[in-house]
Amino acid sequence: MATVTTPMTPSARAVKAGAHLRRKKRLFWPFAAPALVLYLAFLVLPTIATVVLSFTSWAGAGDTPEPNGVTNYTQMWASDSFQYAFRNTLIYVFLGGIGTFALAFLFTMVLRDMKGGKIVRAILFFPNIVAPVALGMFLGFVFKYQPGKQGLANYVLESLGADAAKFLAPSNVTGVVTASLIWASSGFYITILMAAVDRIPPYLYEDAELGGASPWQKFKNITLPMTWDVVGVAGVLWTINALKIFELVFVLAGPGTYAPPNEAWTLGIYVFDRTFGSNGTPDFGAACACAVAMITLVSVLVVLLRRLMRRDAIQF
């Protein structure tokens, strides 16, 4: 015997939808509360404490922090070591970013139609799974300058009849680190961009091919617009990671036991130096002031980048 279902009236559907919504609201806080507690405990509160301590003079232990106004900030901006650190960090963010994304886009255009592209992509990604400390030690051997015990780079130069170069000298190490970052990081962004390219319908490239489009025209009019949202996310990731660079410079440019020369510093090394006190007593107030500057810089750069790359999403 067939059953006859009575259609629900609009008021009954509204009552059922309201009950469902109330059940969802009751489940929200039990699931969200643990994550919010961890976020508050490990991000929000430490950030507030860092800002407060940046206006104090404190050695990190013993005496209580003593307020000193904006002294930490004025001394920091007037410090040669901070100016070197600030300049080098911006070099890594902008020049390193331009080089990394140029290389990533180049390989993306090549690997899209290349047989065995996935294998090449995996090989290019390999430097990203190596710890920055180990990578810095390896590059230190490559660029080593020592009479009679040259690194690989100088061995190649001397084999070609050129003079050995002091790649890791304080005046040259920033360029070496920038090139090393481009080489080590490009595989990660190639993987991200290739994942975005793989979702583009192949018929768009086929139509462009029939129309006589060059590889550059296909990249400019198909690949880049279709992956623009992913490029924006990758740009944000690069900005954040480049501002936090520490281990690679510390190992590559330093003696391996303490901070490298001031000319090679980054903002991360500046915070480390002020925290652990290369000149005697640690200065947590100065370290926190630099940390606040890093937070401000990354916030400004990310907001500007998101505004610059904001455009309507393309549906396909």
Side-chain angles (χ1 to χ4, degrees):
M1 182 175 179
T3 57
V4 178
T5 57
T6 304
M8 296 179 63
T9 63
S11 58
R13 285 197 297 268
V15 171
K16 184 176 180 181
H20 179 66
L21 182 61
R22 286 192 295 272
R23 287 195 297 270
K24 289 177 64 177
K25 288 183 177 180
R26 285 197 298 267
L27 289 173
F28 174 79
W29 285 111
F31 283 99
L36 292 175
V37 169
L38 293 175
Y39 183 80
L40 180 68
F42 293 103
L43 184 65
V44 176
L45 293 180
T47 301
I48 295 174
T50 299
V51 175
V52 173
L53 288 174
S54 69
F55 295 100
T56 65
S57 176
W58 187 41
D63 297 334
T64 57
E66 297 180 1
N68 64 355
V70 295
T71 301
N72 291 327
Y73 290 95
T74 56
Q75 291 179 350
M76 179 182 69
W77 285 105
S79 170
D80 290 339
S81 57
F82 177 82
Q83 293 177 13
Y84 281 124
F86 190 79
R87 181 202 65 184
N88 292 336
T89 301
L90 291 182
I91 289 174
Y92 298 143
V93 171
F94 290 103
L95 293 185
I98 292 172
T100 298
F101 281 92
L103 195 61
F105 280 127
L106 176 62
F107 274 96
T108 298
M109 295 173 63
V110 173
L111 294 177
R112 188 182 63 82
D113 299 320
M114 178 180 175
K115 291 184 179 180
K118 292 184 178 180
I119 298 176
V120 177
R121 194 188 313 180
I123 294 173
L124 293 172
F125 186 80
F126 177 76
N128 291 274
I129 67 177
V130 180
V133 174
L135 190 63
M137 294 177 65
F138 166 74
L139 293 173
F141 287 113
V142 171
F143 294 110
K144 182 172 64 174
Y145 175 86
Q146 186 177 352
K149 297 181 180 179
Q150 302 289 19
L152 179 61
N154 277 322
Y155 175 79
V156 172
L157 288 177
E158 291 180 340
S159 299
L160 297 174
D163 295 332
K166 296 182 179 180
F167 290 105
L168 301 182
S171 58
N172 299 329
V173 72
T174 299
V176 173
V177 172
T178 303
S180 301
L181 280 175
I182 295 172
W183 168 75
S185 303
S186 58
F188 175 76
Y189 296 97
I190 289 171
T191 303
I192 293 178
L193 295 179
M194 284 301 300
V197 170
D198 289 343
R199 68 180 186 176
I200 299 176
Y203 68 81
L204 295 177
Y205 291 104
E206 295 171 0
D207 292 344
E209 189 76 27
L210 292 174
S214 64
W216 167 250
Q217 289 173 327
K218 287 188 286 186
F219 171 78
K220 178 182 177 182
N221 298 299
I222 299 176
T223 303
L224 189 59
M226 292 292 185
T227 59
W228 191 255
D229 55 338
V230 177
V231 173
V233 174
V236 171
L237 291 175
W238 168 264
T239 301
I240 295 172
N241 291 329
L243 279 169
K244 297 190 300 182
I245 181 173
F246 173 79
E247 300 99 325
L248 181 61
V249 181
F250 188 87
V251 175
L252 187 59
T257 56
Y258 210 72
N262 289 356
E263 294 89 338
W265 278 19
T266 63
L267 292 178
I269 293 177
Y270 184 94
V271 172
F272 169 84
D273 181 80
R274 292 300 183 266
T275 302
F276 294 99
S278 62
N279 298 318
T281 305
D283 191 347
F284 272 60
C288 290
C290 185
V292 171
M294 292 177 67
I295 295 171
T296 304
L297 181 60
V298 72
S299 301
V300 170
L301 291 178
V302 168
V303 169
L304 290 177
L305 184 63
R306 297 300 294 172
R307 286 184 175 273
L308 179 65
M309 305 197 68
R310 182 173 55 191
R311 65 173 61 178
D312 295 334
I314 299 177
Q315 302 294 332
F316 55 89

